[in-house]
Amino acid sequence: MKNTYNETDSAGTDGYLSSDSSFYGDADDRARLEARALSFDPEPYWNNHPHLIPVVAAASRAKLEAASSPPPNKPLYNPYEGSISGRQLNETVEEFLKRLPPLTTTVSSEYPWIFIANPHATSRPTDRDQAGFMKVAERMLDAFSKKKNEIEASMAGKPKGTVTRKLTPLRKALENDLLAAAKEKHCTSGKWMLFPYPEDVNRYWAVVAAATVNRELGTAAKVAPDEGKVDRVPRLICVYTKDFSDIEDVKRVLERLIELGLAKKRGVGDERGLYYKADAFTELGINSGNEWGLKASLYASRDLLGDGKK
């Protein structure tokens, strides 16, 4: 039987299927399939299959592209502009460090602290209602003190541990209420606290200052000037973050401090560990041994990173 098949019936002159071939379907089929391809959204599939290699690769590529992309061209911001104790925008970090070395800059009304800000930070204090927060928080503390006194009076003569167990849930509720009020009033800043010895303070501060301006840490930082003490008292360096409730960012800053060699997992030059304190608690005078029995710090490095040494 004679073979009547002719390649040119379904292929072009080069022997390949042409776009006019019925292999692709008729015009209506092609239009329908093309419309389906254009409207397909792969994101739900990716979200439901996060461990597939192509999905992991795409996510990693997106992170790298975001990290390498230049930041938006926004105006630089400096809350310390015009203050003699802060770094100015027209001042390099090196010039600032030379002008105000913390080891030898004497504390005064002009220099209560030495400040530096991240000029690219999005945080702005314009919507911060500190007065409103203080008013609400002080009422909470007064109410707790009254309740605490009533409980202690009613349980007089009982073991201290029994009284403590009664007060513990009330203290936890007070802490949660204070932090919720701080969030509501936009008083959310907080800081990691470093305590280098005087002979190390210039070196530590230089690293913190450069990393702050380079957007490696948080929104700002400050260091205590020289108070004229003859003994070897550690200096305080505060490294600020925008929001104490943003655990991911709080942890990121801590990890970067460790990477920069400014901290270990359990401390700076000792075994105490690092502590993070909400500014709201600082403003309320909630320090170690406070009358309400509240923890002064919100986080400890050993809790966020584990208890191992690094």
Side-chain angles (χ1 to χ4, degrees), residues 71 81 89 106 119 123 147 154 158 171 177 226 260 275 292:
E81 195 71 13
L89 290 177
T106 303
S123 177
K147 184 67 174 178
S154 67
K158 293 189 178 181
R171 283 196 178 101
D177 290 344
D226 177 29
L260 290 169
Y275 293 93
W292 307 281

Side-chain angles (χ1 to χ4, degrees), residues 202-268:
N202 279 359
R203 177 170 60 87
Y204 275 70
W205 178 239
V207 176
V208 167
T212 298
V213 171
N214 290 334
R215 297 174 292 167
E216 297 175 50
L217 294 174
T219 57
K222 71 180 182 182
V223 60
D226 177 29
E227 296 183 2
K229 296 180 179 179
V230 295
D231 52 352
R232 194 164 163 264
V233 178
R235 299 285 190 87
L236 173 60
I237 296 177
C238 296
V239 179
Y240 288 89
T241 74
K242 178 181 179 180
D243 188 345
F244 59 74
S245 67
D246 188 347
I247 303 294
E248 184 176 344
D249 186 55
V250 169
K251 184 177 179 181
R252 177 193 65 79
V253 172
L254 172 61
E255 290 174 336
R256 187 58 183 145
L257 289 171
I258 293 171
E259 290 169 356
L260 290 169
L262 300 177
K264 300 178 183 178
K265 279 193 174 182
R266 296 189 61 178
V268 183

Side-chain angles (χ1 to χ4, degrees), residues 27-41:
D28 290 339
D29 287 336
R30 291 199 299 271
R32 177 174 54 82
L33 293 173
E34 288 172 358
R36 285 183 62 187
L38 290 173
S39 64
F40 177 68
D41 181 7

Side-chain angles (χ1 to χ4, degrees), residues 261-279:
L262 300 177
K264 300 178 183 178
K265 279 193 174 182
R266 296 189 61 178
V268 183
D270 58 23
E271 298 301 317
R272 292 179 302 171
L274 296 187
Y275 293 93
Y276 181 97
K277 188 174 183 179
D279 283 345

Side-chain angles (χ1 to χ4, degrees), residues 87 91-105 111 114 116 202 205-206 209:
R87 182 242 175 184
E91 190 175 34
T92 67
V93 173
E94 291 74 15
E95 290 169 343
F96 165 69
L97 294 172
K98 185 177 181 179
R99 178 170 66 87
L100 294 174
L103 179 63
T104 54
T105 299
Y111 302 107
I114 299 171
I116 193 164
N202 279 359
W205 178 239

